[in-house]
Amino acid sequence: MEIALVLFVIAAFFISRSVKVVPQQHAWVVERLGKYNGTLTPGLNFLMPFVDKVAYKHLLKEVP
């Protein structure tokens, strides 16, 4: 029983690290191992945990 609980916690951790939801009017810059890999657009996005990271969160709103 303890093994199943530990596996569930590990799986939940990996899923939380790999699924990102970008809000509207935002663009997130992704780095893979320290180099630019791409830009996440608004909506549901998937990353490779521990390899990809969000390096910068850019606002696309106009400033009057």
Side-chain angles (χ1 to χ4, degrees), residues 3-24:
I3 295 173
L5 182 62
V6 170
L7 290 176
F8 178 74
V9 169
I10 291 172
F13 180 71
F14 274 96
I15 290 171
S16 69
R17 296 272 304 179
S18 65
V19 176
K20 300 292 181 190
V21 178
V22 179
Q24 287 184 341

Side-chain angles (χ1 to χ4, degrees), residues 11 21 29 50:
V21 178
V29 176
F50 306 109

Side-chain angles (χ1 to χ4, degrees), residues 43-61:
L44 185 64
N45 295 285
F46 299 98
L47 299 175
M48 293 181 63
F50 306 109
V51 177
D52 292 340
K53 75 172 190 173
V54 176
Y56 180 72
K57 297 180 180 180
H58 182 68
L59 293 172
L60 299 174
K61 297 179 182 177

